[in-house]
Amino acid sequence: MHEIADVEQALRQAAPHRLVSVVEDALRERCHALRVELRLADYGLRTLQLVERTPGADPSVPIHDSPQGRAFGAQEPYVVHGPASVLIHLPVTVRGERLGVLTAELPPGTDLRPLLPGLAQVCEALGHEILVAERDTDLYVLARRATRLTLAAEMQWQLLPGRSCARPEFALAAHLEPAYAIFGDNYDWSVSDGRLTLTVTNGMGEGIEAALLTNLAINALRNARRAGLDLADQAALADQAVYAQYRGAAFVSVLLLSFDLATGEVEAVDAGSPRLWRLRGHSVESIRFEAQLPLGMFEDTGYVCERFTVRPGDRLLFGSDGVYAAVSPAGESYGDRALARALRGTRLLPPSQVPQAMLRELSTHHGGGSLEDDALVVCLDWHGAVSTVAV
């Protein structure tokens, strides 16, 4: 695997729908691969879906009980030795965004040690090209679907920046349920040279109405952020946009945060129902802010920033009201106590696995049935500035 640059160039020049074929050709030539397949994680993060159907291949394998799922969950290569071949499953991840798993079937007795660094580079290059290719083909978007999305869910997923993101200063992940029928819950983030801006939203209503409302609010917030406005003015501009369209008949609850990557200082605007909890050591604390009006309720609402500080080692959890207000069949609210218990119980998991684990716990509380409201969990692990980590 000494010609990684050639593989990367071939990927860049390939037609968007032929990326897997390019990788397969490269691995056949350089590693004598017998077979190559790519699987992408579905929207619910329950299965790994085959990108290109091949005879005899299982179109879907579970994430939590398969060799491919082990590679995806651990984010490390997983090898299965058989009498006729060696299967190596490799995570395909881009800047913390876990896309799926590349599987290569190699001849028996293949020495994998000299191949692994090059294979990891090929997977990274493939991941980057998939994200670019999605602008021009539906192949990879369709592969992520274990079932059909509702139109509202389609609109909401198209808004999202991704499901996870990793930088030296932090690791961030989020998940929405029910993944194929979400309504108004959403999230957004943007990382600049010195700041992370994170937005957690909950638009009122259901179906298309909720999706349209959330689309308007998210794009108004992005427009204000990209214009260089501070956090309070971002909220004010989005508030005006929503009010101008709905005249107070519909509104969006939002929690906006801006993190200074060097110091851990955080600015926050709490305009509605999304809430925040902090795990510091073994202690879980609900971080409450002064409640301000949701976006779009009244004309020309003013917003004020509040401030707090995160420390290296802190874990922050953000949840919509579909999480903390969910009720059991007996009528018991999920609430702070159950959420704190679940947050402590998942403290050893990486952030990429926490949101789905929390939502599984919520489903159990709910009696195992479908949730009555869509639910959003965002998990952020704060590592601090590089100089802080090194001390």
Side-chain angles (χ1 to χ4, degrees):
M1 297 298 295
H2 300 295
E3 299 93 351
I4 301 302
D6 293 340
V7 179
E8 292 176 342
Q9 184 176 8
L11 283 168
R12 286 194 295 270
Q13 294 175 348
H17 62 281
R18 292 203 70 253
L19 299 181
V20 180
S21 299
V22 168
V23 171
E24 183 170 24
D25 291 344
L27 297 191
R28 285 185 186 277
E29 178 183 347
R30 294 164 173 80
C31 305
H32 308 291
L34 308 174
R35 177 176 61 89
V36 172
E37 68 179 30
L38 173 67
R39 294 178 183 271
L40 298 180
D42 87 302
Y43 287 108
L45 285 176
R46 294 180 179 88
T47 60
L48 291 163
Q49 305 286 121
L50 193 62
V51 171
E52 295 177 344
R53 301 294 175 92
T54 55
D58 193 341
S60 175
V61 298
I63 284 180
H64 297 291
D65 188 23
S66 67
Q68 297 92 332
R70 290 193 180 192
F72 183 82
Q75 287 294 286
E76 293 180 353
Y78 185 77
V79 180
V80 179
H81 292 277
S85 63
V86 175
L87 286 175
I88 180 167
H89 307 286
L90 301 136
V92 178
T93 301
V94 180
R95 298 184 179 181
E97 171 75 349
R98 303 182 303 163
L99 300 179
V101 173
L102 182 75
T103 297
E105 184 178 4
L106 305 176
T110 300
D111 185 1
L112 296 175
R113 288 173 296 180
L115 300 179
L116 284 174
L119 289 171
Q121 287 181 268
V122 168
C123 287
E124 183 176 1
L126 174 61
H128 278 283
E129 292 305 317
I130 287 171
L131 295 182
V132 175
E134 285 183 343
R135 299 179 305 179
D136 302 312
T137 178
D138 286 337
L139 176 66
Y140 308 104
V141 174
L142 289 173
R144 293 191 175 98
R145 301 177 185 211
T147 187
R148 184 176 177 178
L149 290 174
T150 65
L151 178 55
E154 181 94 48
M155 295 169 65
Q156 295 289 50
W157 280 106
Q158 290 299 312
L159 271 182
L160 301 179
R163 283 190 290 212
S164 53
C165 177
R167 287 261 308 238
E169 300 90 349
F170 67 86
L172 172 65
H175 191 62
L176 286 157
E177 284 290 349
Y180 292 87
I182 51 176
F183 304 133
D185 286 0
N186 213 286
Y187 59 86
D188 193 28
W189 62 65
S190 176
V191 187
S192 65
D193 184 42
R195 302 198 76 82
L196 162 67
T197 302
L198 173 63
T199 306
V200 183
T201 56
N202 182 4
M204 66 176 290
E206 297 182 355
I208 298 298
E209 291 78 9
L212 287 169
L213 176 61
T214 305
N215 266 260
L216 174 60
I218 290 288
N219 280 291
L221 288 166
R222 288 175 176 171
N223 179 257
R225 183 184 72 228
R226 293 164 183 170
L229 301 183
D230 62 28
L231 206 64
D233 287 341
Q234 290 175 33
L237 187 146
D239 170 72
Q240 293 168 14
V242 175
Y243 184 82
Q245 182 66 30
Y246 293 96
R247 311 305 294 181
F251 56 85
V252 179
S253 297
V254 60
L255 179 61
L256 296 98
L257 300 107
S258 178
F259 295 77
D260 188 310
L261 298 180
T263 66
E265 295 293 323
V266 187
E267 295 181 339
V269 172
D270 181 357
S273 60
R275 287 173 53 185
L276 165 62
W277 292 262
R278 178 178 62 204
L279 174 64
R280 179 172 287 173
H282 293 279
S283 176
V284 177
E285 178 184 4
S286 176
I287 307 298
R288 300 296 180 94
F289 304 103
E290 180 181 348
Q292 301 182 67
L293 291 174
L295 307 183
M297 288 194 73
F298 300 102
E299 190 173 9
D300 296 328
T301 303
Y303 293 91
V304 178
C305 284
E306 299 180 65
R307 289 170 174 80
F308 67 102
T309 303
V310 287
R311 302 175 186 170
D314 282 356
R315 169 167 285 180
L316 303 182
L317 189 88
F318 307 84
S320 66
D321 59 0
V323 176
Y324 61 81
V327 295
S328 70
E332 179 186 0
S333 177
Y334 192 60
D336 287 350
R337 183 176 299 179
L339 194 144
R341 183 173 60 251
L343 188 51
R344 292 190 192 96
T346 57
R347 68 182 183 278
L348 299 181
L349 294 178
S352 58
Q353 297 182 25
V354 170
Q356 197 181 23
M358 297 288 292
L359 289 168
R360 284 197 300 269
E361 173 73 17
L362 178 65
S363 178
T364 300
H365 172 83
H366 197 262
S370 59
L371 300 175
E372 295 179 359
D373 190 7
D374 49 343
L376 164 63
V377 173
V378 181
C379 180
L380 170 66
D381 275 9
W382 187 257
H383 308 314
V386 175
S387 59
T388 302
V389 175
V391 171

